[in-house]
Amino acid sequence: MDRSHVRALLIDDHELVRHAIHGLLVDVLGIGTVVEADSLASGLERIVEGPAVDLLLVDLNLPDTDGPESLAALVDALPDARIAVISGSVDREDVVGCLAVGVDGYLPKGLPTAELVKALELILDGGSYVPSQLTRGGVAASPKPKHKPAGLENLTTRQAEIDELRGKKPAVETPLPVVPTAEPVPAA
């Protein structure tokens, strides 16, 4: 898929992390423009300066943020962008908090590169991503639903788990599209 038209904003306070992710976005995913910022404030400045951002990748633990709630301003400023948190944290409260403010994915910095690429492709294609180790038997484990609530019949179990983490409660009368989710890629 041609992603040369995509404009990404990458916000992380570590230059090495920005450099590595920048290279991945351009060289592997073919994203045309990657703009960098080293703080929430400078990221908001880049958004105001324009042009529009299609993909936002933001570190959860920036010096000028105070947890997931701090990301709400970014989500509000970019209603049409795909937004993912990249974080060293795998704490359940962080994951749930980020999903609750409306991000489309949660990407731990420890993800293998192949899985990170698949996750970013999924997010760019309109899906949501949370690594299954954060929802099944891992640090952020949640009980598997015994049955799918009304309105969630078209979702896979994995999609229902992600929606549960996000706190989504879809309307019963609205048919839900099936959105693919990525599973972890086994380590080589």
Side-chain angles (χ1 to χ4, degrees):
M1 172 177 274
D2 178 28
R3 291 192 171 94
S4 61
H5 66 282
V6 173
R7 183 171 189 270
L9 173 58
L10 171 59
I11 307 173
D12 195 292
D13 56 322
H14 294 100
E15 182 179 12
L16 179 61
V17 172
R18 287 195 315 271
H19 181 75
I21 295 172
H22 185 129
L24 183 84
L25 293 173
V26 172
D27 299 336
V28 178
L29 291 169
I31 290 179
T33 304
V34 178
V35 177
E36 297 180 16
D38 63 1
S39 67
L40 180 66
S42 64
L44 287 167
E45 286 174 15
R46 303 290 188 292
I47 292 167
V48 170
E49 292 167 0
V53 171
D54 303 301
L55 174 66
L56 169 66
L57 300 176
V58 58
D59 183 9
L60 177 60
N61 296 311
L62 296 166
D64 59 344
T65 61
D66 187 27
E69 301 79 27
S70 302
L71 304 180
L74 291 170
V75 172
D76 291 344
L78 298 169
D80 298 324
R82 305 301 296 163
I83 301 173
V85 170
I86 297 183
S87 179
S89 170
V90 291
D91 181 73
R92 180 178 177 79
E93 287 183 25
D94 288 339
V95 176
V96 172
C98 289
L99 295 172
V101 298
V103 303
D104 301 299
Y106 192 92
L107 310 168
K109 289 182 178 176
L111 280 179
T113 303
E115 186 175 349
L116 179 60
V117 169
K118 283 185 175 186
L120 289 169
E121 288 173 338
L122 178 67
I123 291 166
L124 283 165
D125 292 340
S128 296
Y129 181 85
V130 174
S132 59
Q133 69 263 28
L134 295 182
T135 57
R136 283 193 223 141
V139 174
S142 63
K144 280 192 170 207
K146 293 179 180 159
H147 68 282
K148 294 179 185 173
L152 299 180
E153 297 86 4
N154 293 333
L155 296 181
T156 66
T157 300
R158 179 77 182 117
Q159 291 164 332
E161 288 172 349
I162 291 173
D163 279 351
E164 180 185 329
L165 280 172
R166 293 178 88 172
K168 278 186 155 181
K169 304 221 177 354
V172 174
E173 58 275 359
T174 305
L176 299 173
V178 175
V179 180
T181 59
E183 291 295 326
V185 175

